[in-house]
């Protein structure tokens, strides 16, 4: 045998031993490996449907009143939980820009179907869920010790994802996720569309006895959430003007505000009024123009309809601000 042929044979044998190693993380023969990595990367982060809320609040929106969505903010935080899986996330959602109004808490784990194309998301419910809340003192401790004994789930409730172009579409198997008893026994229909920057989700339930609608959005329109970017903002109030310093001047530094309707409130000690700044990266849907999208920062007095100040910039601008003399604000992207 020629020397180079011997080297090739040895390399192949070495590769086979490596693949067979019990310490390897991924099955190199699994065609879903790449999709699993991509889906997990896209799923991680924070998402908000502020853009959807802004459109539905307009008088020229085409929908009905009962079809409007509630403001929803979703946080998907990746956690290390080897006993559960390699791709595990804590999910927390809250409503109306109020982190105390938690509407959903879950632990989810992604894994490959292996024997066929697709990724499964297994959903777990949390025992003592309040202890896992992100704003609780016990959140990190609970996450550090999470295991299956802290969880419970329902059979048949996995969401199965398939890649479609540059998106992943996920759904439960038809009528597989059932719960309740007797006449109130129902099944869940849980649909998700995930892309690199967007997360759309709709959850509905139907009665098993006659397939009648039970709860959820009336026409299956999803909460259309977009991935957020955080900005660091500084706001200053001045008794006279920024160029005439006073002991009554007040500055608020390093405020964290996201670009999908995020807010930060503060009290102006000079007049005692409460104001907030808000950032919005808008996709304007009502006319066709290449430059119809925009990014803006506004200052608004709490309880008032009109903004005190508005500053506009190109979509996804790295920096934005304004200076009115008695108040100034500047926000800079953290990425």
């Amino acid at each position: 045998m020629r020397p180079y042929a011997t080297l090739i044979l040895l390399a192949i044998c070495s590769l086979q031993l490596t693949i067979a190693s019990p310490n390897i993380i991924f099955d190199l023969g699994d065609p879903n490996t790449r999709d699993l990595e991509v889906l997990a990367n896209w799923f991680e982060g924070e998402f908000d449907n502020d853009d959807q809320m802004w459109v539905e609040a307009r008088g020229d929106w085409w929908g009905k009143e009962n079809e409007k969505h509630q403001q929803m903010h979703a946080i998907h935080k990746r956690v290390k939980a080897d006993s559960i899986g390699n791709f595990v996330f804590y999910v927390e959602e809250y409503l109306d820009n109020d982190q105390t109004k938690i509407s959903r808490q879950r632990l989810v784990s992604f894994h490959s179907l292996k024997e066929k194309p697709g990724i499964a998301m297994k959903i777990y419910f949390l025992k003592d869920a309040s202890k896992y809340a992100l704003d609780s003192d016990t959140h990190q401790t609970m996450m550090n010790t999470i295991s299956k004994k802290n969880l419970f789930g329902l059979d048949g409730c996995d969401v199965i994802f398939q890649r479609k172009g540059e998106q992943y579409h996920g759904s439960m198997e038809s009528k597989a996720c059932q719960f309740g008893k007797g006449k109130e026994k129902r099944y869940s229909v849980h649909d998700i569309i995930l892309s690199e920057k967007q997360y759309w989700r709709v959850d509905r339930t139907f009665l098993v006895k006659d397939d009648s609608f039970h709860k959820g959005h009336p026409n299956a329109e999803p909460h259309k959430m977009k991935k957020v970017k955080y900005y660091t903002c500084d706001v200053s109030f001045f008794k006279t003007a920024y160029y005439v310093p006073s002991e009554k001047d007040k500055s608020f530094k390093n405020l964290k505000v996201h670009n999908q309707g995020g807010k930060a409130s503060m009290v102006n000690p000079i007049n005692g009024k409460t104001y907030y700044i808000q950032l919005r990266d808008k996709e304007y849907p009502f006319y066709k123009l290449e430059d119809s999208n925009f990014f803006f920062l506004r200052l608004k007095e709490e309880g008032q309809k009109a903004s005190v100040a508005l500053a506009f910039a190109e979509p996804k601008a790295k920096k934005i601000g304004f200076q009115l003399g008695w108040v100034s604000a500047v926000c800079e992207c953290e990425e």
Side-chain angles (χ1 to χ4, degrees), residues 126-157:
L126 299 157
K127 300 175 184 177
D128 297 322
S130 61
K131 294 181 180 179
Y132 293 87
L134 287 164
D135 64 349
S136 70
D137 295 334
T138 55
H139 169 76
Q140 197 55 55
T141 300
M142 299 301 285
M143 286 292 101
N144 290 341
T145 58
I146 191 75
S147 68
K148 287 188 177 180
K149 69 180 181 181
N150 308 118
L151 311 169
F152 64 97
L154 295 173
D155 292 334
C157 295

PDB file of all heavy atoms in Angstrom, residues 126-157:
ATOM      1  N   LEU A 126     -43.879  25.714  35.094  1.00  0.00           N
ATOM      2  CA  LEU A 126     -43.020  25.858  36.268  1.00  0.00           C
ATOM      3  C   LEU A 126     -43.817  25.724  37.562  1.00  0.00           C
ATOM      4  O   LEU A 126     -44.835  26.397  37.747  1.00  0.00           O
ATOM      5  CB  LEU A 126     -42.335  27.230  36.248  1.00  0.00           C
ATOM      6  CG  LEU A 126     -41.427  27.509  35.055  1.00  0.00           C
ATOM      7  CD1 LEU A 126     -41.268  29.005  34.848  1.00  0.00           C
ATOM      8  CD2 LEU A 126     -40.077  26.854  35.241  1.00  0.00           C
ATOM      9  N   LYS A 127     -43.346  24.868  38.449  1.00  0.00           N
ATOM     10  CA  LYS A 127     -43.878  24.850  39.800  1.00  0.00           C
ATOM     11  C   LYS A 127     -43.337  26.075  40.543  1.00  0.00           C
ATOM     12  O   LYS A 127     -42.188  26.461  40.359  1.00  0.00           O
ATOM     13  CB  LYS A 127     -43.449  23.571  40.521  1.00  0.00           C
ATOM     14  CG  LYS A 127     -43.931  22.282  39.838  1.00  0.00           C
ATOM     15  CD  LYS A 127     -43.371  21.036  40.522  1.00  0.00           C
ATOM     16  CE  LYS A 127     -43.777  19.775  39.789  1.00  0.00           C
ATOM     17  NZ  LYS A 127     -43.187  18.547  40.401  1.00  0.00           N
ATOM     18  N   ASP A 128     -44.157  26.692  41.380  1.00  0.00           N
ATOM     19  CA  ASP A 128     -43.753  27.925  42.092  1.00  0.00           C
ATOM     20  C   ASP A 128     -43.269  28.972  41.089  1.00  0.00           C
ATOM     21  O   ASP A 128     -42.184  29.560  41.233  1.00  0.00           O
ATOM     22  CB  ASP A 128     -42.650  27.631  43.113  1.00  0.00           C
ATOM     23  CG  ASP A 128     -43.100  26.682  44.213  1.00  0.00           C
ATOM     24  OD1 ASP A 128     -44.266  26.791  44.644  1.00  0.00           O
ATOM     25  OD2 ASP A 128     -42.293  25.831  44.623  1.00  0.00           O
ATOM     26  N   ALA A 129     -44.091  29.245  40.072  1.00  0.00           N
ATOM     27  CA  ALA A 129     -43.681  30.098  38.951  1.00  0.00           C
ATOM     28  C   ALA A 129     -43.230  31.490  39.390  1.00  0.00           C
ATOM     29  O   ALA A 129     -42.313  32.058  38.796  1.00  0.00           O
ATOM     30  CB  ALA A 129     -44.821  30.209  37.942  1.00  0.00           C
ATOM     31  N   SER A 130     -43.859  32.047  40.430  1.00  0.00           N
ATOM     32  CA  SER A 130     -43.516  33.408  40.851  1.00  0.00           C
ATOM     33  C   SER A 130     -42.052  33.542  41.263  1.00  0.00           C
ATOM     34  O   SER A 130     -41.454  34.609  41.131  1.00  0.00           O
ATOM     35  CB  SER A 130     -44.418  33.861  42.000  1.00  0.00           C
ATOM     36  OG  SER A 130     -44.247  33.010  43.125  1.00  0.00           O
ATOM     37  N   LYS A 131     -41.455  32.446  41.735  1.00  0.00           N
ATOM     38  CA  LYS A 131     -40.054  32.491  42.163  1.00  0.00           C
ATOM     39  C   LYS A 131     -39.088  32.594  40.979  1.00  0.00           C
ATOM     40  O   LYS A 131     -37.919  32.907  41.163  1.00  0.00           O
ATOM     41  CB  LYS A 131     -39.715  31.255  42.998  1.00  0.00           C
ATOM     42  CG  LYS A 131     -40.459  31.188  44.329  1.00  0.00           C
ATOM     43  CD  LYS A 131     -40.063  29.950  45.116  1.00  0.00           C
ATOM     44  CE  LYS A 131     -40.784  29.871  46.445  1.00  0.00           C
ATOM     45  NZ  LYS A 131     -40.409  28.653  47.214  1.00  0.00           N
ATOM     46  N   TYR A 132     -39.595  32.310  39.763  1.00  0.00           N
ATOM     47  CA  TYR A 132     -38.758  32.369  38.569  1.00  0.00           C
ATOM     48  C   TYR A 132     -38.854  33.714  37.851  1.00  0.00           C
ATOM     49  O   TYR A 132     -38.107  33.964  36.899  1.00  0.00           O
ATOM     50  CB  TYR A 132     -39.153  31.264  37.592  1.00  0.00           C
ATOM     51  CG  TYR A 132     -38.847  29.877  38.094  1.00  0.00           C
ATOM     52  CD1 TYR A 132     -39.749  29.187  38.888  1.00  0.00           C
ATOM     53  CD2 TYR A 132     -37.646  29.246  37.767  1.00  0.00           C
ATOM     54  CE1 TYR A 132     -39.479  27.903  39.346  1.00  0.00           C
ATOM     55  CE2 TYR A 132     -37.358  27.966  38.217  1.00  0.00           C
ATOM     56  CZ  TYR A 132     -38.280  27.307  39.007  1.00  0.00           C
ATOM     57  OH  TYR A 132     -37.993  26.036  39.457  1.00  0.00           O
ATOM     58  N   ALA A 133     -39.760  34.583  38.263  1.00  0.00           N
ATOM     59  CA  ALA A 133     -39.965  35.860  37.575  1.00  0.00           C
ATOM     60  C   ALA A 133     -38.660  36.651  37.519  1.00  0.00           C
ATOM     61  O   ALA A 133     -37.880  36.671  38.479  1.00  0.00           O
ATOM     62  CB  ALA A 133     -41.040  36.675  38.286  1.00  0.00           C
ATOM     63  N   LEU A 134     -38.430  37.315  36.388  1.00  0.00           N
ATOM     64  CA  LEU A 134     -37.165  38.019  36.176  1.00  0.00           C
ATOM     65  C   LEU A 134     -36.923  39.137  37.182  1.00  0.00           C
ATOM     66  O   LEU A 134     -35.775  39.440  37.496  1.00  0.00           O
ATOM     67  CB  LEU A 134     -37.125  38.580  34.751  1.00  0.00           C
ATOM     68  CG  LEU A 134     -36.909  37.532  33.649  1.00  0.00           C
ATOM     69  CD1 LEU A 134     -37.263  38.101  32.295  1.00  0.00           C
ATOM     70  CD2 LEU A 134     -35.468  37.037  33.664  1.00  0.00           C
ATOM     71  N   ASP A 135     -37.989  39.768  37.669  1.00  0.00           N
ATOM     72  CA  ASP A 135     -37.799  40.860  38.625  1.00  0.00           C
ATOM     73  C   ASP A 135     -37.840  40.391  40.077  1.00  0.00           C
ATOM     74  O   ASP A 135     -37.843  41.208  41.006  1.00  0.00           O
ATOM     75  CB  ASP A 135     -38.841  41.959  38.401  1.00  0.00           C
ATOM     76  CG  ASP A 135     -40.262  41.489  38.670  1.00  0.00           C
ATOM     77  OD1 ASP A 135     -40.457  40.267  38.823  1.00  0.00           O
ATOM     78  OD2 ASP A 135     -41.179  42.332  38.726  1.00  0.00           O
ATOM     79  N   SER A 136     -37.841  39.055  40.294  1.00  0.00           N
ATOM     80  CA  SER A 136     -37.836  38.525  41.655  1.00  0.00           C
ATOM     81  C   SER A 136     -36.408  38.355  42.153  1.00  0.00           C
ATOM     82  O   SER A 136     -35.470  38.198  41.372  1.00  0.00           O
ATOM     83  CB  SER A 136     -38.569  37.175  41.715  1.00  0.00           C
ATOM     84  OG  SER A 136     -37.808  36.176  41.060  1.00  0.00           O
ATOM     85  N   ASP A 137     -36.241  38.339  43.459  1.00  0.00           N
ATOM     86  CA  ASP A 137     -34.924  38.152  44.068  1.00  0.00           C
ATOM     87  C   ASP A 137     -34.431  36.714  43.924  1.00  0.00           C
ATOM     88  O   ASP A 137     -33.237  36.439  44.090  1.00  0.00           O
ATOM     89  CB  ASP A 137     -34.964  38.521  45.555  1.00  0.00           C
ATOM     90  CG  ASP A 137     -35.248  39.999  45.785  1.00  0.00           C
ATOM     91  OD1 ASP A 137     -34.932  40.804  44.885  1.00  0.00           O
ATOM     92  OD2 ASP A 137     -35.807  40.338  46.841  1.00  0.00           O
ATOM     93  N   THR A 138     -35.346  35.802  43.611  1.00  0.00           N
ATOM     94  CA  THR A 138     -34.994  34.380  43.570  1.00  0.00           C
ATOM     95  C   THR A 138     -34.760  33.857  42.153  1.00  0.00           C
ATOM     96  O   THR A 138     -34.449  32.674  41.989  1.00  0.00           O
ATOM     97  CB  THR A 138     -36.104  33.552  44.233  1.00  0.00           C
ATOM     98  OG1 THR A 138     -37.363  33.864  43.595  1.00  0.00           O
ATOM     99  CG2 THR A 138     -36.203  33.859  45.712  1.00  0.00           C
ATOM    100  N   HIS A 139     -34.926  34.713  41.131  1.00  0.00           N
ATOM    101  CA  HIS A 139     -34.863  34.237  39.748  1.00  0.00           C
ATOM    102  C   HIS A 139     -33.572  33.475  39.442  1.00  0.00           C
ATOM    103  O   HIS A 139     -33.607  32.326  38.976  1.00  0.00           O
ATOM    104  CB  HIS A 139     -35.005  35.397  38.765  1.00  0.00           C
ATOM    105  CG  HIS A 139     -34.697  35.006  37.348  1.00  0.00           C
ATOM    106  ND1 HIS A 139     -35.574  34.286  36.566  1.00  0.00           N
ATOM    107  CD2 HIS A 139     -33.582  35.196  36.579  1.00  0.00           C
ATOM    108  CE1 HIS A 139     -35.028  34.058  35.380  1.00  0.00           C
ATOM    109  NE2 HIS A 139     -33.830  34.592  35.358  1.00  0.00           N
ATOM    110  N   GLN A 140     -32.434  34.095  39.692  1.00  0.00           N
ATOM    111  CA  GLN A 140     -31.171  33.475  39.303  1.00  0.00           C
ATOM    112  C   GLN A 140     -30.891  32.201  40.081  1.00  0.00           C
ATOM    113  O   GLN A 140     -30.406  31.208  39.528  1.00  0.00           O
ATOM    114  CB  GLN A 140     -30.014  34.464  39.476  1.00  0.00           C
ATOM    115  CG  GLN A 140     -28.750  34.052  38.729  1.00  0.00           C
ATOM    116  CD  GLN A 140     -28.992  33.807  37.245  1.00  0.00           C
ATOM    117  OE1 GLN A 140     -29.503  34.661  36.536  1.00  0.00           O
ATOM    118  NE2 GLN A 140     -28.632  32.622  36.763  1.00  0.00           N
ATOM    119  N   THR A 141     -31.228  32.190  41.357  1.00  0.00           N
ATOM    120  CA  THR A 141     -31.048  30.989  42.168  1.00  0.00           C
ATOM    121  C   THR A 141     -31.884  29.836  41.625  1.00  0.00           C
ATOM    122  O   THR A 141     -31.408  28.699  41.514  1.00  0.00           O
ATOM    123  CB  THR A 141     -31.444  31.261  43.629  1.00  0.00           C
ATOM    124  OG1 THR A 141     -30.619  32.308  44.145  1.00  0.00           O
ATOM    125  CG2 THR A 141     -31.274  30.011  44.482  1.00  0.00           C
ATOM    126  N   MET A 142     -33.122  30.133  41.266  1.00  0.00           N
ATOM    127  CA  MET A 142     -34.001  29.095  40.725  1.00  0.00           C
ATOM    128  C   MET A 142     -33.491  28.585  39.381  1.00  0.00           C
ATOM    129  O   MET A 142     -33.545  27.385  39.100  1.00  0.00           O
ATOM    130  CB  MET A 142     -35.424  29.637  40.581  1.00  0.00           C
ATOM    131  CG  MET A 142     -36.076  30.076  41.884  1.00  0.00           C
ATOM    132  SD  MET A 142     -36.209  28.763  43.121  1.00  0.00           S
ATOM    133  CE  MET A 142     -37.557  27.802  42.445  1.00  0.00           C
ATOM    134  N   MET A 143     -32.966  29.488  38.563  1.00  0.00           N
ATOM    135  CA  MET A 143     -32.438  29.076  37.266  1.00  0.00           C
ATOM    136  C   MET A 143     -31.185  28.207  37.422  1.00  0.00           C
ATOM    137  O   MET A 143     -30.961  27.272  36.658  1.00  0.00           O
ATOM    138  CB  MET A 143     -32.103  30.311  36.425  1.00  0.00           C
ATOM    139  CG  MET A 143     -33.293  31.055  35.849  1.00  0.00           C
ATOM    140  SD  MET A 143     -34.183  30.126  34.577  1.00  0.00           S
ATOM    141  CE  MET A 143     -35.580  29.526  35.494  1.00  0.00           C
ATOM    142  N   ASN A 144     -30.392  28.509  38.419  1.00  0.00           N
ATOM    143  CA  ASN A 144     -29.147  27.757  38.639  1.00  0.00           C
ATOM    144  C   ASN A 144     -29.405  26.328  39.086  1.00  0.00           C
ATOM    145  O   ASN A 144     -28.524  25.462  38.950  1.00  0.00           O
ATOM    146  CB  ASN A 144     -28.277  28.466  39.679  1.00  0.00           C
ATOM    147  CG  ASN A 144     -27.700  29.775  39.161  1.00  0.00           C
ATOM    148  OD1 ASN A 144     -27.642  30.005  37.954  1.00  0.00           O
ATOM    149  ND2 ASN A 144     -27.265  30.634  40.065  1.00  0.00           N
ATOM    150  N   THR A 145     -30.591  26.073  39.640  1.00  0.00           N
ATOM    151  CA  THR A 145     -30.881  24.742  40.189  1.00  0.00           C
ATOM    152  C   THR A 145     -32.037  24.057  39.461  1.00  0.00           C
ATOM    153  O   THR A 145     -32.580  23.078  39.961  1.00  0.00           O
ATOM    154  CB  THR A 145     -31.209  24.854  41.688  1.00  0.00           C
ATOM    155  OG1 THR A 145     -32.325  25.743  41.866  1.00  0.00           O
ATOM    156  CG2 THR A 145     -30.022  25.390  42.473  1.00  0.00           C
ATOM    157  N   ILE A 146     -32.408  24.564  38.300  1.00  0.00           N
ATOM    158  CA  ILE A 146     -33.573  24.033  37.587  1.00  0.00           C
ATOM    159  C   ILE A 146     -33.343  22.580  37.152  1.00  0.00           C
ATOM    160  O   ILE A 146     -32.245  22.212  36.720  1.00  0.00           O
ATOM    161  CB  ILE A 146     -33.893  24.916  36.350  1.00  0.00           C
ATOM    162  CG1 ILE A 146     -35.257  24.558  35.755  1.00  0.00           C
ATOM    163  CG2 ILE A 146     -32.801  24.804  35.302  1.00  0.00           C
ATOM    164  CD1 ILE A 146     -36.411  25.043  36.535  1.00  0.00           C
ATOM    165  N   SER A 147     -34.370  21.763  37.313  1.00  0.00           N
ATOM    166  CA  SER A 147     -34.335  20.374  36.847  1.00  0.00           C
ATOM    167  C   SER A 147     -35.769  19.943  36.579  1.00  0.00           C
ATOM    168  O   SER A 147     -36.722  20.682  36.861  1.00  0.00           O
ATOM    169  CB  SER A 147     -33.678  19.467  37.885  1.00  0.00           C
ATOM    170  OG  SER A 147     -34.492  19.376  39.035  1.00  0.00           O
ATOM    171  N   LYS A 148     -35.933  18.745  36.053  1.00  0.00           N
ATOM    172  CA  LYS A 148     -37.279  18.289  35.681  1.00  0.00           C
ATOM    173  C   LYS A 148     -38.210  18.148  36.876  1.00  0.00           C
ATOM    174  O   LYS A 148     -39.436  18.174  36.718  1.00  0.00           O
ATOM    175  CB  LYS A 148     -37.192  16.975  34.910  1.00  0.00           C
ATOM    176  CG  LYS A 148     -36.654  17.161  33.492  1.00  0.00           C
ATOM    177  CD  LYS A 148     -36.750  15.881  32.684  1.00  0.00           C
ATOM    178  CE  LYS A 148     -36.266  16.123  31.251  1.00  0.00           C
ATOM    179  NZ  LYS A 148     -36.342  14.896  30.416  1.00  0.00           N
ATOM    180  N   LYS A 149     -37.665  18.009  38.073  1.00  0.00           N
ATOM    181  CA  LYS A 149     -38.522  17.899  39.250  1.00  0.00           C
ATOM    182  C   LYS A 149     -39.230  19.223  39.555  1.00  0.00           C
ATOM    183  O   LYS A 149     -40.214  19.243  40.297  1.00  0.00           O
ATOM    184  CB  LYS A 149     -37.719  17.430  40.466  1.00  0.00           C
ATOM    185  CG  LYS A 149     -36.727  18.453  40.985  1.00  0.00           C
ATOM    186  CD  LYS A 149     -35.974  17.920  42.198  1.00  0.00           C
ATOM    187  CE  LYS A 149     -34.997  18.966  42.739  1.00  0.00           C
ATOM    188  NZ  LYS A 149     -34.235  18.457  43.902  1.00  0.00           N
ATOM    189  N   ASN A 150     -38.717  20.325  38.998  1.00  0.00           N
ATOM    190  CA  ASN A 150     -39.338  21.635  39.186  1.00  0.00           C
ATOM    191  C   ASN A 150     -40.370  21.941  38.112  1.00  0.00           C
ATOM    192  O   ASN A 150     -40.959  23.029  38.114  1.00  0.00           O
ATOM    193  CB  ASN A 150     -38.270  22.735  39.146  1.00  0.00           C
ATOM    194  CG  ASN A 150     -37.109  22.486  40.073  1.00  0.00           C
ATOM    195  OD1 ASN A 150     -35.972  22.345  39.629  1.00  0.00           O
ATOM    196  ND2 ASN A 150     -37.388  22.407  41.369  1.00  0.00           N
ATOM    197  N   LEU A 151     -40.604  20.991  37.195  1.00  0.00           N
ATOM    198  CA  LEU A 151     -41.419  21.248  36.007  1.00  0.00           C
ATOM    199  C   LEU A 151     -42.536  20.230  35.863  1.00  0.00           C
ATOM    200  O   LEU A 151     -42.490  19.167  36.457  1.00  0.00           O
ATOM    201  CB  LEU A 151     -40.535  21.205  34.752  1.00  0.00           C
ATOM    202  CG  LEU A 151     -39.236  21.999  34.773  1.00  0.00           C
ATOM    203  CD1 LEU A 151     -38.378  21.623  33.567  1.00  0.00           C
ATOM    204  CD2 LEU A 151     -39.520  23.484  34.783  1.00  0.00           C
ATOM    205  N   PHE A 152     -43.520  20.598  35.044  1.00  0.00           N
ATOM    206  CA  PHE A 152     -44.515  19.616  34.614  1.00  0.00           C
ATOM    207  C   PHE A 152     -44.980  20.006  33.208  1.00  0.00           C
ATOM    208  O   PHE A 152     -44.839  21.162  32.788  1.00  0.00           O
ATOM    209  CB  PHE A 152     -45.697  19.526  35.583  1.00  0.00           C
ATOM    210  CG  PHE A 152     -46.525  20.786  35.680  1.00  0.00           C
ATOM    211  CD1 PHE A 152     -47.693  20.923  34.939  1.00  0.00           C
ATOM    212  CD2 PHE A 152     -46.150  21.831  36.523  1.00  0.00           C
ATOM    213  CE1 PHE A 152     -48.463  22.066  35.024  1.00  0.00           C
ATOM    214  CE2 PHE A 152     -46.923  22.992  36.625  1.00  0.00           C
ATOM    215  CZ  PHE A 152     -48.082  23.098  35.877  1.00  0.00           C
ATOM    216  N   GLY A 153     -45.475  19.042  32.465  1.00  0.00           N
ATOM    217  CA  GLY A 153     -45.874  19.306  31.093  1.00  0.00           C
ATOM    218  C   GLY A 153     -47.096  18.505  30.703  1.00  0.00           C
ATOM    219  O   GLY A 153     -47.684  17.786  31.525  1.00  0.00           O
ATOM    220  N   LEU A 154     -47.487  18.636  29.440  1.00  0.00           N
ATOM    221  CA  LEU A 154     -48.633  17.913  28.905  1.00  0.00           C
ATOM    222  C   LEU A 154     -48.191  17.131  27.678  1.00  0.00           C
ATOM    223  O   LEU A 154     -47.493  17.665  26.811  1.00  0.00           O
ATOM    224  CB  LEU A 154     -49.757  18.888  28.518  1.00  0.00           C
ATOM    225  CG  LEU A 154     -50.411  19.689  29.652  1.00  0.00           C
ATOM    226  CD1 LEU A 154     -51.368  20.729  29.074  1.00  0.00           C
ATOM    227  CD2 LEU A 154     -51.165  18.753  30.591  1.00  0.00           C
ATOM    228  N   ASP A 155     -48.600  15.875  27.592  1.00  0.00           N
ATOM    229  CA  ASP A 155     -48.258  15.064  26.435  1.00  0.00           C
ATOM    230  C   ASP A 155     -48.945  15.601  25.182  1.00  0.00           C
ATOM    231  O   ASP A 155     -50.076  16.093  25.235  1.00  0.00           O
ATOM    232  CB  ASP A 155     -48.700  13.612  26.659  1.00  0.00           C
ATOM    233  CG  ASP A 155     -47.898  12.925  27.761  1.00  0.00           C
ATOM    234  OD1 ASP A 155     -46.754  13.355  27.990  1.00  0.00           O
ATOM    235  OD2 ASP A 155     -48.429  11.975  28.365  1.00  0.00           O
ATOM    236  N   GLY A 156     -48.238  15.506  24.072  1.00  0.00           N
ATOM    237  CA  GLY A 156     -48.807  15.923  22.796  1.00  0.00           C
ATOM    238  C   GLY A 156     -48.753  17.406  22.523  1.00  0.00           C
ATOM    239  O   GLY A 156     -49.313  17.871  21.519  1.00  0.00           O
ATOM    240  N   CYS A 157     -48.097  18.169  23.391  1.00  0.00           N
ATOM    241  CA  CYS A 157     -48.120  19.637  23.263  1.00  0.00           C
ATOM    242  C   CYS A 157     -46.834  20.215  22.681  1.00  0.00           C
ATOM    243  O   CYS A 157     -46.600  21.424  22.772  1.00  0.00           O
ATOM    244  CB  CYS A 157     -48.408  20.271  24.614  1.00  0.00           C
ATOM    245  SG  CYS A 157     -50.064  19.887  25.243  1.00  0.00           S
TER     246      CYS A 157
END
